[in-house]
Amino acid sequence: MPDIDRLRFLWHRVRQQLWWRPAIWSVAAVLAALGSALADAWVPASWLPPLQEGLVSDLLRIMATSMLAVSTFSLSVLASAYASASSAATPRATRLVVADPQSQKSVAVFLAAFIFSIVGVVAMGTGRYGPAGRMVLFVCALGVLAWVVVAFMRYIDILSRIGRVSHTIATVERATLVALQQAMRRPLGGALMATSASPEARPVTALDTGHVQFVDIEALQQLAHRLDGQVHVAAQVGDLVHPSAPLAWLRLPQATAADQGSLAELRRAFVIGPERSIEQDPAYGLIVLAEIAERALSPAVNDPGTAIAVIGSQVRLMIVGLAETPDPAAPRFDRVSTPAGQPEALVALALEPIARCATGQPEVMMQVLRHLDALCRNAPPGVGVAARDLVPRLLARAERGGADPEDLKRWHDEARNLGLLGEGAR
């Protein structure tokens, strides 16, 4: 039985690479160019209109020459756009920007058209094409040319957006929303909720140092079922692990010891990398957005509008994503347990770093308070309580940080008017 969660995780990883779509489409272009010769065996020449061989060769040569220049140009522009996204927003967002399917499709079209024309020119030189083969190759070349024109028009629109901070924010928001909704549809990944492992369980430590990027709950369930045991997940997605940190606690029947193969299989259920990833870790997406806002609020940039846009994006994510209901048809794994999630921790994770940098930006702090009020009114109760509890802490930090007294008074008045502070608060 295939492990759907791991396959989905690997598919997300492949999608974040720039090479995969051009590679697949280039293979399809080669097959189309070479497969055109097969038409001579099926289509009589008397059925076809006359077509000069030189017309097809000239068209393919023109396409090969132009597509090489266009492919080189598109790649250089994308590299500049990715560098701009890294410097204007945050380097952590670059991977998601690279995974944008629209830019990948454009590069794939240009490269596939170049390879199609090169293979077609070489194949025509071998004399393998008869009248029917030349006609099919000519029709394919016209189709590829029309495909290139449409892709180039789309590419112009892509260039107007990619690399801009607003595009980066929207890209991170989409990826975070998918991860957050997936986490809410399958709470705890389908595992049982338990605060700690049983006393009889023994720790299984990590062999590498890094962040947990993915936990394969289904693989742990299969392992525990085969060993007739129980697995308690200790390292959550996003946690830092090292050789002294337990990944999980394994409980086996009495007088039974796990062999090295089973321990290695348990460790393989945890994907560990040098940095966090967003596929199962929506909190990391909120951190990336907060980094964009912090850079915008730095003295070198001084762009409060971007910080306000990030605040809106984060609150929108928490309101929409946390409203997702659990999927009753999702699989349940009775031999794997894990601590309960804490969605209320997302509030401080998202907004506290921004408020810390907004002491000198009164309008940004005002938007923080208003968006916290929106969370109190629309998010689940626990998240609303966390949002309300965050307000006194933010105001106290702003006061300690030397905020202007008039700004502090305005923030306190606004918080009281919104019901985020009691009447007796300063």
Side-chain angles (χ1 to χ4, degrees), residues 126-349:
T126 63
R128 297 178 59 87
Y129 290 89
R134 286 197 300 271
M135 178 59 69
V136 172
L137 188 61
F138 178 69
V139 172
C140 290
L142 292 179
V144 170
L145 189 59
W147 192 26
V148 168
V149 172
V150 173
F152 194 77
M153 298 301 293
R154 291 179 177 176
Y155 190 65
I156 294 174
D157 178 64
I158 292 169
L159 293 183
S160 67
R161 294 181 286 107
I162 194 169
R164 297 170 57 184
V165 178
S166 58
H167 176 265
T168 304
I169 293 173
T171 301
V172 178
E173 181 179 348
R174 285 194 300 269
T176 306
L177 181 60
V178 171
L180 189 56
Q181 289 178 329
Q182 178 68 19
M184 298 306 295
R185 280 195 294 266
R186 294 185 58 183
L188 309 180
L192 302 176
M193 185 182 67
T195 55
S196 61
S198 62
E200 298 84 9
R202 294 293 178 264
V204 179
T205 58
L207 299 180
D208 302 315
T209 299
H211 291 275
V212 177
Q213 298 178 339
F214 174 78
V215 180
D216 193 341
I217 301 294
E218 184 176 350
L220 294 176
Q221 168 75 10
Q222 294 174 357
L223 174 65
H225 186 271
R226 190 175 71 250
L227 297 177
D228 192 24
Q230 194 80 20
V231 175
H232 179 76
V233 177
Q236 305 297 314
V237 174
D239 288 352
L240 175 67
V241 295
H242 48 79
S244 298
L247 288 174
W249 294 80
L250 179 62
R251 182 180 65 83
L252 297 176
Q254 292 184 354
T256 303
D259 59 276
Q260 292 300 318
S262 299
L263 296 180
E265 184 178 348
L266 188 148
R267 292 188 177 100
R268 282 196 299 270
F270 294 80
V271 177
I272 300 173
E275 60 183 12
R276 296 170 70 171
S277 63
I278 206 170
E279 288 85 3
Q280 278 194 344
D281 191 3
Y284 183 59
L286 295 173
I287 292 174
V288 172
L289 287 170
E291 287 184 357
I292 298 175
E294 289 179 274
R295 176 168 294 195
L297 292 173
S298 64
V301 180
N302 192 23
D303 182 13
T306 294
I308 292 173
V310 168
I311 294 169
S313 173
Q314 290 177 323
V315 172
R316 186 164 53 248
L317 279 169
M318 285 184 277
I319 291 176
V320 176
L322 295 177
E324 193 77 17
T325 57
D327 182 6
R332 298 290 185 266
F333 304 112
D334 57 348
R335 291 182 176 270
V336 183
S337 61
T338 184
Q342 296 180 329
E344 59 274 7
L346 298 177
V347 180
L349 196 68

Side-chain angles (χ1 to χ4, degrees), residues 24 29 39 48 52 97 103 110 135 268 284 315 350 353 375 400-401 415:
I24 293 176
L48 302 173
Q52 295 182 357
V97 176
S103 58
F110 301 149
M135 178 59 69
R268 282 196 299 270
Y284 183 59
V315 172
L375 278 178
R400 293 193 305 269

